Amino acid sequence: MESSTVTGGGSSRREATRQKLYEAAVTLIAEQGFSATTVDEIAERAGVAKGTVYYNFASKSVLFEELLRHGVGLLTASLREAAEKTAKDGGGTVDALDAMIRAGLVFIERYPAFTQLYVAELWRTNRAWQSTLMVVRQEAVAVVEGVLREGVERGELSNELDVPLTAAALVGMVLVAALDWQSFQPERSLDDVHSALSRLLQGRVSGTR
Amino acid sequence: MESSTVTGGGSSRREATRQKLYEAAVTLIAEQGFSATTVDEIAERAGVAKGTVYYNFASKSVLFEELLRHGVGLLTASLREAAEKTAKDGGGTVDALDAMIRAGLVFIERYPAFTQLYVAELWRTNRAWQSTLMVVRQEAVAVVEGVLREGVERGELSNELDVPLTAAALVGMVLVAALDWQSFQPERSLDDVHSALSRLLQGRVSGTR
DNA sequence: GTTTTTGAACTGACTGGTCAGTGCAAAAAC
DNA sequence: GTTTTTGCACTGACCAGTCAGTTCAAAAAC
């Protein structure tokens, strides 16, 4: 029986184990933080022995770094797809941003633990995995920046717009609103959250109507 | 000389020691996280003996909780003051929001470590200090929600506006933009950041001019 | 003289990482 | 077709080190 090659990685027994370890680690680290999560816990949750963790990953930190890369890879792919699909359907820049907001919300709804963990670690300094985190952050923000920049070039967005800062602000808006939604108002629908953010993006906050 | 710490002024000798401990703890925990920070480190950084930590605080967790309460107290006071001052000067709701954004940025510029730590812990679950965190979060968000709600009542904001979600989104926008600013573009001025966020708030993103 | 701080020793529980050994399915040898 | 070998993936007991929290006599500050 050979490789039913799923995207990017082979599907050996080993790969399945790694996947289980990712899933176990992401939940535990999101809840407790990296340091408070023990390798024993991760192994137990994944249903494997502790030694297996070290057979598959060089160290606890390396497991975490690869988890980060894996997760952000999924996010950027999703954002990029949303932007491209909008462009192909003849939508403008604002439509693309709106589609990316929705894609971001869908991602966070699906992988809340990863999002939580990412936010918690992103601005720490002096950590072993800081360089990985920087790279991975830039990948994600770059997608948003790209759409903004193109919008400015095409005259659809104000040329006074500060691309990097606005990108960060938009990402933050979605991130925090979504985490708050998940944590404190889980009964709300994704559409609710999306329309509230959409309204904010399009400046339809002021005015009585 | 008072260095920038999250604590306000104290009077007794004991209070001074507590402040030194807060200051040491906030930096270390922001950088490394709660679990990775040892009590020995905190004591050393504060320049006191380990025994002093336990003379002043019942435990490491209690020290952390009191730190949280104090820091968020300062933030909410600052936000509230900004909103009230704007109201007194005859500004509208949007002006009040703008003033609060600025107040938030000033706070984050002054206490970056506290902000970082707060964001890192806010959405965690199953932590000992979760209830403290919830209370403290609500205090802060309530200020923003209050201004939004009043704006809707006075017809200055759309009555379709989702108050809690918009409040969370605004807070997130400021938080993430500011942390990104501090971490990745520290050369930018506060005014730069403020005007970019202000533009976003007022929907002056679209359009060429 | 009372409050606060010191500083070093100690405990008991926990943690990241190691390693000799097991299980097993496919390949090789017969 | 049966037996033997190979080597990958996994196991779990074990180790050396670490940390929160305690204790306390003595000093310092007030």
Side-chain angles (χ1 to χ4, degrees), chain A residues 42-160:
Chain A
I42 296 173
E44 191 192 344
R45 169 89 73 126
V48 302
K50 186 177 185 176
T52 305
V53 176
Y54 286 94
Y55 181 77
N56 283 281
F57 299 95
S59 68
K60 187 185 172 188
S61 300
V62 168
L63 164 56
F64 183 59
E65 285 186 56
E66 297 198 11
L67 175 57
L68 279 175
R69 265 193 282 269
H70 184 75
V72 173
L74 287 181
L75 173 61
T76 53
S78 172
L79 290 180
R80 207 168 274 136
E81 189 197 7
E84 282 168 7
K85 178 173 278 181
T86 308
K88 206 168 71 177
D89 292 358
T93 300
V94 176
D95 295 320
L97 289 174
D98 202 62
M100 286 169 79
I101 287 177
R102 174 166 278 268
L105 290 176
V106 169
F107 180 88
I108 295 171
E109 187 180 41
R110 185 157 176 184
Y111 308 111
F114 178 81
T115 309
Q116 204 177 303
L117 165 166
Y118 179 72
V119 170
E121 294 296 334
L122 186 55
W123 297 284
R124 287 210 202 294
T125 50
N126 305 329
R127 300 273 71 189
W129 51 79
Q130 228 215 322
S131 56
T132 298
L133 217 34
M134 290 276 296
V135 171
V136 130
R137 175 203 97 100
Q138 194 48 41
E139 275 176 38
V141 174
V143 182
V144 181
E145 288 183 353
V147 172
L148 287 176
R149 205 166 283 122
E150 203 184 339
V152 172
E153 281 168 13
R154 293 198 287 186
E156 295 180 39
L157 298 183
S158 163
N159 52 23
E160 286 178 348

Side-chain angles (χ1 to χ4, degrees), chain A residues 137 158 160 162 180 188 205 207, chain B residues 137 158 162 180 188 205 207:
Chain A
R137 175 203 97 100
S158 163
E160 286 178 348
D162 188 316
D180 242 69
R188 307 292 297 265
V205 172
Chain B
R137 177 204 96 100
S158 162
D162 188 317
D180 241 67
R188 306 293 297 265
V205 171

Side-chain angles (χ1 to χ4, degrees), chain B residues 4-209:
Chain B
S4 58
T5 171
V6 181
T7 60
S11 45
S12 67
R13 179 154 80 110
R14 200 163 176 201
E15 195 54 39
T17 304
R18 289 172 107 105
Q19 286 195 46
K20 281 195 293 185
L21 286 170
Y22 281 150
E23 191 177 342
V26 82
T27 316
L28 289 167
I29 297 179
E31 282 178 2
Q32 308 177 327
F34 176 82
S35 303
T37 302
T38 69
V39 175
D40 287 292
E41 274 178 316
I42 296 174
E44 190 193 343
R45 169 89 73 130
V48 302
K50 186 178 181 179
T52 305
V53 176
Y54 285 94
Y55 182 78
N56 284 281
F57 298 95
S59 69
K60 186 186 171 186
S61 299
V62 168
L63 163 56
F64 183 59
E65 284 187 57
E66 297 197 12
L67 176 58
L68 278 175
R69 262 194 284 271
H70 199 107
V72 175
L74 283 183
L75 173 62
T76 54
S78 174
L79 291 179
R80 207 169 273 133
E81 188 196 8
E84 283 168 5
K85 178 173 279 180
T86 308
K88 208 169 69 178
D89 294 357
T93 300
V94 176
D95 295 320
L97 289 173
D98 201 63
M100 286 169 78
I101 287 177
R102 175 166 277 268
L105 291 176
V106 169
F107 180 87
I108 295 171
E109 187 180 42
R110 185 156 175 187
Y111 310 115
F114 178 80
T115 308
Q116 204 177 302
L117 164 166
Y118 179 72
V119 169
E121 294 295 332
L122 186 54
W123 296 284
R124 287 210 201 296
T125 50
N126 306 329
R127 301 271 71 187
W129 52 80
Q130 227 214 324
S131 57
T132 299
L133 218 35
M134 288 276 296
V135 170
V136 129
R137 177 204 96 100
Q138 194 48 42
E139 276 177 38
V141 175
V143 182
V144 181
E145 288 183 352
V147 171
L148 287 176
R149 204 168 283 118
E150 204 183 338
V152 173
E153 281 168 13
R154 292 199 289 187
E156 295 181 39
L157 298 184
S158 162
N159 52 22
E160 286 178 350
L161 184 141
D162 188 317
V163 172
L165 272 175
T166 306
L170 285 174
V171 170
M173 189 182 87
V174 176
L175 224 47
V176 174
L179 284 171
D180 241 67
W181 158 44
Q182 293 286 310
S183 297
F184 307 118
Q185 305 187 281
E187 72 280 5
R188 306 293 297 265
S189 72
L190 194 149
D191 283 327
D192 264 6
V193 184
H194 181 220
S195 67
L197 296 184
S198 206
R199 197 168 289 134
L200 202 51
L201 171 69
Q202 294 173 28
R204 291 189 278 111
V205 171
S206 321
T208 324
R209 225 307 4 117

Side-chain angles (χ1 to χ4, degrees), chain A residues 16-44:
Chain A
T17 304
R18 290 169 87 105
Q19 190 65 37
K20 281 195 293 185
L21 286 170
Y22 281 153
E23 276 162 30
V26 81
T27 317
L28 290 167
I29 297 179
E31 282 177 2
Q32 309 176 326
F34 175 82
S35 302
T37 301
T38 68
V39 176
D40 285 291
E41 277 177 314
I42 296 173
E44 191 192 344

Side-chain angles (χ1 to χ4, degrees), chain A residues 15 92 103:
Chain A
E15 198 53 41

